[in-house]
């Protein structure tokens, strides 16, 4: 089963305590699509400007990512710049330039309108909504990602979108911000009242807490000796989860547990290099090997 993703395709400038890199291939849809492509075909909907390098497109084309829905518009590509603190977890966004993404009117190729798995990657809720509205019928699974910027600036649109969302993925501080509740279990339960049947709260190096009506469960992050650049880890986490669910064509509680562990594993790979550099060097068998190691690490008794 293919997965449809809408989100940003962009150029990132990333600064860590030990390095500074510019014009990297980035964007929420890019990281998601690459991660999900280990499991399934991905149809990507986004927009870039005329300055977007062709070699970046070919990184995705070489994988199972269909770019028929990637529009090229007159103007500049979405740009994001961030600087990581010494702990390689906290970061400051130095600049976000929406550029052509600011006026993006998503146009879905006809075949995309019938897809069953839809990922609304981080981006303006108005754009996420337009994609949902363009679908021929309600998809089997709608997974939405969001961030503090949209909770802050476009809350009514976001709340409207949550009514049509099956799974919401967000980080711990965003869950607290959205609900005003500090305890993540309480925040998650509050979000369930807003529409989604499952909430996945990301806790960075501490893994993730999944809250749904069967109760919570926890999945650790795969421990790394060195983090080079964690940009995109959240999108890769979602890509691993949704790619696995689409591959299995099943969303039972046990499949969801395995899917979140896969998300955790794919996210760990992306932290080992800038942009997609680490992910482009691995294959599905590497993901599966690391998945087995993760299972071994959490085995008790
Ligand atoms: P993550 O580290 O998972 O939060 O993802 C970072 C990626 O998301 C970067 O490659 C950015 O280009 C992109 N990004 C950053 N801010 C936004 C935003 N406000 N909307 C959409 N994408 C964004």
């Amino acid at each position: 089963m293919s997965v449809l993703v809408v989100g940003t395709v962009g150029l990132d400038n990333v600064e860590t305590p030990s390095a500074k890199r510019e014009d990297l291939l980035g964007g929420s849809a890019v990281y998601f699509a690459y991660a999900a492509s280990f499991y399934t075909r991905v149809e990507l909907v986004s927009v870039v400007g005329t300055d977007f390098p062709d070699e970046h497109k070919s990184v995705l084309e070489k994988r199972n990512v269909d770019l028929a829905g990637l529009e090229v518009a007159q103007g500049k590509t979405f740009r994001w710049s961030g600087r990581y603190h010494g702990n390689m977890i906290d970061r400051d966004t130095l600049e976000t330039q929406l550029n052509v993404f600011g006026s993006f009117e998503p146009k879905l190729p006809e075949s995309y309108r019938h897809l069953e798995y839809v990922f609304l990657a981080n981006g303006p809720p108005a754009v996420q909504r337009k994609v949902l509205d363009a679908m021929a019928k309600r998809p089997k699974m709608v997974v939405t990602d969001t961030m503090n910027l949209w909770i802050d600036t476009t809350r009514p649109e976001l709340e409207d979108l949550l009514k049509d969302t099956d799974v919401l993925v967000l980080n711990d501080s965003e869950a607290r911000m959205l609900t005003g509740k500090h305890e993540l279990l309480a925040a998650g339960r509050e979000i369930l009242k807003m529409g989604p049947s499952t909430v996945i709260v990301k806790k960075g190096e501490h893994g993730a807490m999944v809250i749904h009506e069967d109760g919570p469960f926890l999945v650790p992050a795969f421990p790394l000796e060195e983090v080079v650049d964690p940009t995109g880890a959240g999108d890769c986490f979602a890509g691993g989860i949704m790619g696995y669910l689409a591959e299995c064509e099943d969303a039972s509680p046990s499949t969801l547990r395995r899917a979140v562990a896969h998300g955790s594993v794919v996210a760990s790979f992306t932290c080992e290099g800038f942009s997609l550099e680490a992910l482009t060097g691995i294959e599905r068998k590497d993901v599966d090997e690391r998945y087995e190691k993760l299972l071994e690490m959490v085995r008790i008794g």
Side-chain angles (χ1 to χ4, degrees):
M1 257 310 153
S2 299
V3 176
L4 169 69
V5 57
V6 60
T8 50
V9 172
L11 297 170
D12 290 346
N13 293 338
V14 176
E15 246 181 273
T16 68
S18 56
K20 192 172 173 181
R21 299 280 300 270
E22 296 193 337
D23 295 336
L24 296 167
L25 171 60
S28 55
V30 166
Y31 280 109
F32 174 89
Y34 204 95
S37 75
F38 286 107
Y39 306 88
T40 187
R41 185 176 168 78
V42 183
E43 326 282 341
L44 187 147
V45 174
S46 191
V47 62
V48 289
T50 43
D51 57 348
F52 191 71
D54 281 342
E55 67 258 28
H56 284 349
K57 276 191 206 160
S58 62
V59 172
L60 296 166
E61 277 162 347
K62 277 190 206 137
R63 301 285 313 174
N64 227 346
V65 181
D66 180 42
L67 298 182
L70 179 65
E71 189 186 323
V72 180
Q74 276 304 320
K76 286 186 182 171
T77 300
F78 172 87
R79 276 188 172 270
W80 175 80
S81 305
R83 182 189 292 136
Y84 286 90
H85 297 189
N87 62 12
M88 288 300 281
I89 298 167
D90 299 318
R91 71 180 181 205
D92 299 320
T93 289
L94 302 178
E95 195 178 27
T96 303
Q97 291 179 16
L98 291 180
N99 295 332
V100 289
F101 203 84
S103 51
F104 180 41
E105 291 289 335
K107 290 172 212 69
L108 269 56
E110 181 55 30
S111 60
Y112 288 19
R113 296 182 57 240
H114 303 271
L115 293 172
E116 300 273 26
Y117 291 84
V118 175
F119 184 67
L120 305 173
N122 189 11
V127 172
Q128 294 173 312
R129 161 60 66 195
K130 278 181 194 152
V131 168
L132 266 198
D133 288 349
M135 299 306 288
K137 61 178 172 43
R138 198 195 186 288
K140 198 162 165 181
M141 182 177 280
V142 176
V143 182
T144 301
D145 191 359
T146 195
M147 71 181 293
N148 48 5
L149 175 67
W150 312 118
I151 299 173
D152 235 3
T153 58
T154 57
R155 195 179 181 107
E157 289 94 325
L158 180 62
E159 284 182 357
D160 179 61
L161 189 71
L162 290 183
K163 293 184 189 136
D164 291 315
T165 293
D166 298 297
V167 181
L168 178 67
V169 186
L170 76 182
N171 73 28
D172 43 6
S173 63
E174 292 154 359
R176 291 178 174 123
M177 188 173 169
L178 184 60
T179 61
K181 303 236 182 251
H182 182 78
E183 300 308 332
L184 294 180
L185 192 52
R189 292 238 160 90
E190 198 65 27
I191 295 170
L192 293 183
K193 291 184 202 155
M194 299 179 185
S197 54
T198 303
V199 181
I200 305 180
V201 182
K202 298 174 282 183
K203 301 187 294 160
E205 60 168 346
H206 302 297
M209 182 189 282
V210 182
I211 299 128
H212 61 151
E213 55 192 20
D214 294 344
F217 70 87
L218 301 167
V219 174
F222 187 85
L224 296 173
E225 295 221 17
E226 192 198 359
V227 171
V228 175
D229 170 20
T231 307
D235 306 303
C236 287
F237 174 69
I241 296 172
M242 209 163 175
Y244 185 80
L245 291 174
E247 180 186 56
C248 298
E249 293 191 41
D250 174 45
S252 63
S254 56
T255 306
L256 181 64
R257 283 175 185 236
R258 287 195 293 276
V260 179
H262 270 274
S264 191
V265 164
V266 183
S268 72
F269 279 110
T270 197
C271 297
E272 294 180 299
F274 282 95
S275 182
L276 297 178
E277 286 166 4
L279 285 178
T280 49
I282 62 161
E283 293 169 19
R284 173 66 185 264
K285 72 169 179 26
D286 301 300
V287 174
D288 289 341
E289 274 170 28
R290 192 172 276 194
Y291 174 83
E292 291 303 324
K293 284 187 191 156
L294 182 71
L295 293 195
E296 186 56 31
M297 282 178 201
V298 294
R299 194 165 58 81
I300 297 169

